[in-house]
Amino acid sequence: MGSFILRRVMLLVPIWIGISLLAFLLTNLTPGDPARLALQRELGHQPDTAQVEEARERMGLNDPLPIQYLRWLGHAATGDLGTSYRNGQPVLEALTNRFPTTLKLAALGLAISVTIALPLGALAAVFRGRVVDHFSRIFALVGASMPSFWVAYLLILAFAVNLRLLPVAGSSTWKHIVLPAVTLGIAGSASLMRVVRSEMLENLGQDYVRTARAKGLANSYVISRHAFRNALIPVTTILGMRFAGMLGGTVIVETIFAWPGIGKLIIDAIFDRDYPIIQGFVIFMGTVTLLINLTVDIGYGLIDPRVRPAKS
Amino acid sequence: MGITQLNRRTLVQGVAVGAVGIHALAATNSLAQSDTTVKIGVSEDGYRTDERANVGFYPLNTGIFESLVHLGEDYQIKPLLAESWEFVEPNTWRITLRQDVSFHDGTAFNAEAVKYTMDRIASNGGGSMGLGADSCVIVDDFTVEITSSRPNRRLMQQIGHPNNSILPVGLNPAESRIGTGPFKEVEYVAGDHFTVETNAEYWGDDKPEIAGITFNFYPDPTARMLALQAGDVDMITDVSRPAAGQVEQMGATLLRSPVGGYEAFYIQIHGEEPYHLGADPAVREAISLAIDRNVIVQNAWQGNAEPGHTMIPPAILGDSVSIVAEPTYDLEKAKSLLEEAGWTGDDIRAKDGTALTLTIINGYGTAADHGTVPEILQAQLREAGIDLQIVQTPDTATYEQRLSLGEGDLWLEAGSQNDGNPGFLPGLLFASPEEGGDPESTMYGRAFAPGAAFDEQIEITNNAVDMAEVQEAAALGMNLLINEEHIVVPLCGFFRMVGASEKITEFSLHPSGVNQRWTSLRVKG
């Protein structure tokens, strides 16, 4: 297992370089002058030619692209991802300040998804065609049909405006995380539940389940220890991908709930052509995604002994 | 026994606890009502925290810092930390400072503080004033002379921008916020809130009558509105025009400022085929005549705007505003003008085999900022036989890239005025471009500049000392753009809107958000 993890970690280096090159080129090919946009934001109006030139020089944007890339890569190798054009904050500081906030939200959102989806999906399969199955189907249909911003506004109307139990938006108390996490949780649980249901149905029809029942094992044991455990294997992959997606793409929820996470940071950076933040974000999230995939691979081994690396 | 009884007991206990909770909540609400701290929902935390830090003064002006002059709601500058000023030929402004002002930490405000601030601006590129390292000279403790590194007679209009607020010597606003303003900082939590309290020692006459303000950041306009409805905040800024009616529906008050922003489109006159049709004066005049501004105000903005006839806020032109004639809506005249110019046809007009098809680019600030205006323009121009294709750009950067390439006929924009220089925006956008200048930096001039007659007026706005003369020249230049050359077609004048709960009893809303003075806030209790 140790050498397996080491091999996977070593693979990160060329992938990092590939990601950085791609991020740098795509960012720089996007129309728009970051110097002009940064000045517009700072001044509140169009800058003049001299101001734009001074800013371009200061930001190093007048250098040829390969020089800019190598300079950036050299600094990145030492952990310096540059400073934001928008507010001058060091990129690494901006990312690491925001990431725990998003991580907290995504983790809670995923936990809510899992809490809803796993039991409901499993029950829907076990009681196929019964009330719980119909309920789960309606829940999945509604959950998958409603965009997350709509769910967010409904939750705000119910719990903040009418019941006045929770704040509309913000991040300063524990109460502030409830609504955005539930929004993410509901959005994620619908499709996850359908996957759990279909995997459970497939496994419940397998020979090994019939054999286990024929051996006289209790139905609850067969469902929980055999069928459910096997159904979790593809679900684990989906959870890993969904978690990575939540970490990088909760911008709508973060914007509505004024949650100062990494999603809002990157969207603002894209609109402002804040190259250092965009490039830093891509590298950072690429790394996080690779690490999540690595964790999922290791998790496979724990769930399914067949995919554990053989001992030498 | 037990389950039913337990449930009943639990239920009774729950109701009791709930009742106490509701009572406590009611008591808290009552306390909140009598509290004179105001919670305001604002759009975003856009502060810088590097060496150019502007925390507390821009884009949200928290009232901690003050500049030498203040831009009044009529867009004319008024003394603030400067008592008086005079122009000294050839390029110097001598400014006499107030002597009764101190910073929040008790340090005296004097010429040293002004020099420190101006030197900081100079080290960060000089700002719109064009300051250099030696621009600010101390004459005595309460007199400074400021000389721009380029000829600049609009310096006093520019120096009032909150970005030029005065700092005590040695202060880095990224680390602490100590100003001379009516409010002192209590707490800043980036991205969440900024709390200030009243400065009891404030030197000015307009002392705050509230305990303090907490600005909560809500980037999403709907969430901001819901926060007002939920009672999380007492007031919200930047109410969106289409949603303004909802503020009153929820029982809050909608306050409007004087006009401080505008919406207009510009017609490219120097374009290459296929974006060359705006070069025809008849086409431009017909477009101007075919636009019914009242329909735009009512349909796109639900009455929450005014038909526009200037580009910049009319107030900034003073008495000279009457020079800029109001554009008229006359569809029949538009049609006959096009006929006379050879643009004929029953449906979409054509001339020499070229259809009168124009492209409007929508994306400045964002396409969403303009709501249904492009579609309304499309329908109105169609009445005159002009086909309008709509292109939405995803953001300002893409819009500007397209403008630098000249790929479009009509360019839809919205903007606002934050300083007192009436010639700044027209000059920046429509003055003739420098020879050999960077295409992106001179993109507006390359597309729209009408030439020498306009440039002459801009020269006057740059070089005259007397403001009446500056206003007259700006008005003449604008009239040329709007009513003679028909390059600019103003659509709407925008006012700012805030929604206020019943707790707010009085508030004077400034047309420029960054120049807002919060001292006018009055609350119940």
Side-chain angles (χ1 to χ4, degrees), chain B residues 485-514:
Chain B
E485 294 290 345
H486 306 286
I487 293 167
V488 174
V489 181
L491 301 174
C492 302
F494 285 155
F495 34 77
R496 292 178 65 229
M497 291 182 287
V498 301
S501 73
E502 60 180 17
K503 180 176 175 179
I504 308 294
T505 57
E506 198 180 323
F507 181 54
S508 180
L509 185 59
H510 198 288
S512 157
V514 302

Coordinates of all heavy atoms in Angstrom, one line a residue, chain B residues 485-514:
Chain B
E485 N -23.7 65.5 -33.3 CA -23.1 64.3 -34.0 C -23.9 63.0 -33.8 O -23.7 62.0 -34.5 CB -21.6 64.1 -33.5 CG -20.7 65.2 -33.9 CD -20.4 65.3 -35.4 OE1 -20.7 64.3 -36.1 OE2 -19.9 66.3 -35.9
H486 N -24.7 63.0 -32.8 CA -25.5 61.8 -32.4 C -24.7 60.6 -32.2 O -25.0 59.5 -32.7 CB -26.6 61.6 -33.5 CG -27.4 62.8 -33.8 ND1 -28.4 63.2 -32.9 CD2 -27.4 63.7 -34.8 CE1 -29.0 64.3 -33.4 NE2 -28.4 64.6 -34.5
I487 N -23.5 60.7 -31.6 CA -22.7 59.6 -31.3 C -23.1 58.9 -30.0 O -23.0 57.7 -29.9 CB -21.2 60.0 -31.2 CG1 -20.7 60.5 -32.6 CG2 -20.3 58.9 -30.7 CD1 -19.4 61.3 -32.6
V488 N -23.5 59.8 -29.1 CA -24.0 59.3 -27.8 C -25.5 59.4 -27.8 O -26.1 60.5 -28.1 CB -23.4 60.1 -26.6 CG1 -24.0 59.7 -25.3 CG2 -21.9 59.9 -26.6
V489 N -26.2 58.3 -27.5 CA -27.6 58.3 -27.3 C -28.0 58.0 -25.9 O -28.0 56.8 -25.5 CB -28.3 57.3 -28.3 CG1 -29.8 57.4 -28.1 CG2 -27.9 57.6 -29.7
P490 N -28.2 59.0 -25.1 CA -28.5 58.8 -23.7 C -29.9 58.1 -23.5 O -30.8 58.5 -24.3 CB -28.5 60.2 -23.0 CG -28.6 61.1 -24.1 CD -28.2 60.5 -25.4
L491 N -30.0 57.2 -22.6 CA -31.3 56.5 -22.4 C -31.9 56.9 -21.1 O -33.0 57.4 -21.1 CB -31.1 55.0 -22.5 CG -30.5 54.5 -23.8 CD1 -30.2 53.0 -23.7 CD2 -31.4 54.7 -25.0
C492 N -31.2 56.6 -20.0 CA -31.7 56.8 -18.7 C -30.8 57.5 -17.7 O -29.6 57.3 -17.9 CB -32.1 55.5 -18.0 SG -33.2 54.5 -19.0
G493 N -31.3 58.2 -16.8 CA -30.5 58.7 -15.7 C -30.9 57.8 -14.5 O -32.1 57.5 -14.2
F494 N -29.9 57.3 -13.9 CA -30.1 56.3 -12.8 C -29.9 57.0 -11.4 O -28.9 57.7 -11.2 CB -29.1 55.1 -12.8 CG -29.4 54.1 -13.9 CD1 -28.4 53.4 -14.5 CD2 -30.7 54.0 -14.4 CE1 -28.7 52.4 -15.5 CE2 -31.0 53.0 -15.4 CZ -30.0 52.3 -15.9
F495 N -30.8 56.7 -10.5 CA -30.6 57.2 -9.1 C -30.3 55.9 -8.3 O -30.8 54.8 -8.6 CB -31.8 57.9 -8.6 CG -33.1 57.5 -9.1 CD1 -33.7 56.4 -8.6 CD2 -33.8 58.2 -10.1 CE1 -35.0 55.9 -9.1 CE2 -35.0 57.8 -10.5 CZ -35.6 56.7 -10.0
R496 N -29.6 56.1 -7.2 CA -29.4 55.0 -6.3 C -30.7 54.8 -5.4 O -31.4 55.7 -5.2 CB -28.2 55.3 -5.3 CG -26.9 55.4 -6.1 CD -25.8 55.7 -5.1 NE -25.6 54.7 -4.1 CZ -25.5 54.9 -2.8 NH1 -25.6 56.1 -2.3 NH2 -25.3 53.9 -2.0
M497 N -30.9 53.6 -5.0 CA -32.0 53.3 -4.2 C -31.6 52.4 -3.0 O -30.8 51.5 -3.1 CB -33.0 52.5 -5.0 CG -33.7 53.3 -6.1 SD -34.9 52.4 -7.0 CE -33.9 51.3 -8.0
V498 N -32.2 52.8 -1.8 CA -32.0 51.9 -0.7 C -33.3 51.6 -0.1 O -34.3 52.3 -0.3 CB -31.1 52.6 0.4 CG1 -29.8 53.0 0.0 CG2 -31.8 53.8 1.0
G499 N -33.4 50.4 0.5 CA -34.6 50.0 1.2 C -34.4 50.2 2.7 O -33.3 49.7 3.2
A500 N -35.3 50.8 3.4 CA -35.1 51.1 4.8 C -36.3 50.5 5.6 O -37.5 50.7 5.2 CB -35.0 52.6 5.0
S501 N -36.0 49.9 6.8 CA -37.1 49.5 7.6 C -37.6 50.7 8.4 O -37.1 51.8 8.3 CB -36.5 48.5 8.6 OG -35.7 49.1 9.6
E502 N -38.7 50.4 9.2 CA -39.3 51.5 9.9 C -38.4 52.1 11.0 O -38.7 53.2 11.5 CB -40.7 51.1 10.5 CG -40.5 50.0 11.4 CD -41.9 49.6 12.0 OE1 -42.9 49.9 11.4 OE2 -41.9 48.9 13.0
K503 N -37.4 51.4 11.3 CA -36.4 51.9 12.3 C -35.7 53.2 11.8 O -35.4 54.1 12.6 CB -35.4 50.8 12.6 CG -34.4 51.3 13.6 CD -33.4 50.1 14.0 CE -32.3 50.5 14.9 NZ -31.4 49.4 15.3
I504 N -35.5 53.2 10.5 CA -34.8 54.4 9.9 C -35.8 55.5 9.7 O -36.8 55.4 9.0 CB -34.2 54.1 8.5 CG1 -33.3 52.8 8.6 CG2 -33.4 55.2 7.9 CD1 -32.1 52.9 9.5
T505 N -35.6 56.6 10.3 CA -36.6 57.8 10.2 C -36.1 58.8 9.2 O -36.9 59.6 8.7 CB -36.8 58.4 11.6 OG1 -35.6 58.8 12.1 CG2 -37.4 57.4 12.5
E506 N -34.8 58.9 9.0 CA -34.2 59.9 8.1 C -32.9 59.5 7.5 O -32.1 58.9 8.2 CB -34.0 61.2 9.0 CG -33.9 62.5 8.1 CD -33.8 63.7 9.0 OE1 -34.4 63.7 10.1 OE2 -33.0 64.6 8.6
F507 N -32.7 59.8 6.3 CA -31.4 59.4 5.6 C -31.3 60.2 4.3 O -32.3 60.2 3.5 CB -31.3 57.9 5.4 CG -30.0 57.5 4.8 CD1 -28.8 57.9 5.4 CD2 -30.0 56.8 3.6 CE1 -27.6 57.5 4.8 CE2 -28.8 56.4 3.0 CZ -27.6 56.8 3.6
S508 N -30.2 60.8 4.2 CA -30.0 61.6 2.9 C -29.1 60.7 2.0 O -27.9 60.5 2.3 CB -29.3 62.9 3.3 OG -29.1 63.6 2.1
L509 N -29.6 60.3 0.9 CA -28.9 59.3 0.1 C -28.1 60.1 -1.0 O -28.7 60.8 -1.8 CB -29.9 58.3 -0.6 CG -29.3 57.2 -1.4 CD1 -28.4 56.3 -0.6 CD2 -30.5 56.4 -2.0
H510 N -26.8 59.8 -1.0 CA -25.9 60.5 -2.0 C -26.0 59.8 -3.3 O -26.1 58.6 -3.4 CB -24.5 60.5 -1.5 CG -23.6 61.5 -2.1 ND1 -23.2 61.4 -3.4 CD2 -23.1 62.7 -1.6 CE1 -22.4 62.4 -3.7 NE2 -22.3 63.2 -2.6
P511 N -26.0 60.6 -4.4 CA -26.1 59.9 -5.8 C -24.8 59.1 -6.1 O -24.9 58.2 -6.9 CB -26.2 61.1 -6.7 CG -25.8 62.3 -6.0 CD -26.1 62.0 -4.5
S512 N -23.7 59.4 -5.4 CA -22.5 58.6 -5.6 C -22.3 57.8 -4.4 O -22.0 58.3 -3.3 CB -21.3 59.5 -5.9 OG -20.1 58.9 -5.6
G513 N -22.3 56.5 -4.5 CA -22.2 55.6 -3.3 C -20.9 55.8 -2.5 O -20.9 55.8 -1.3
V514 N -19.8 56.0 -3.2 CA -18.5 56.1 -2.5 C -18.4 57.4 -1.7 O -17.6 57.6 -0.9 CB -17.3 55.9 -3.4 CG1 -17.4 54.6 -4.2 CG2 -17.3 57.0 -4.4

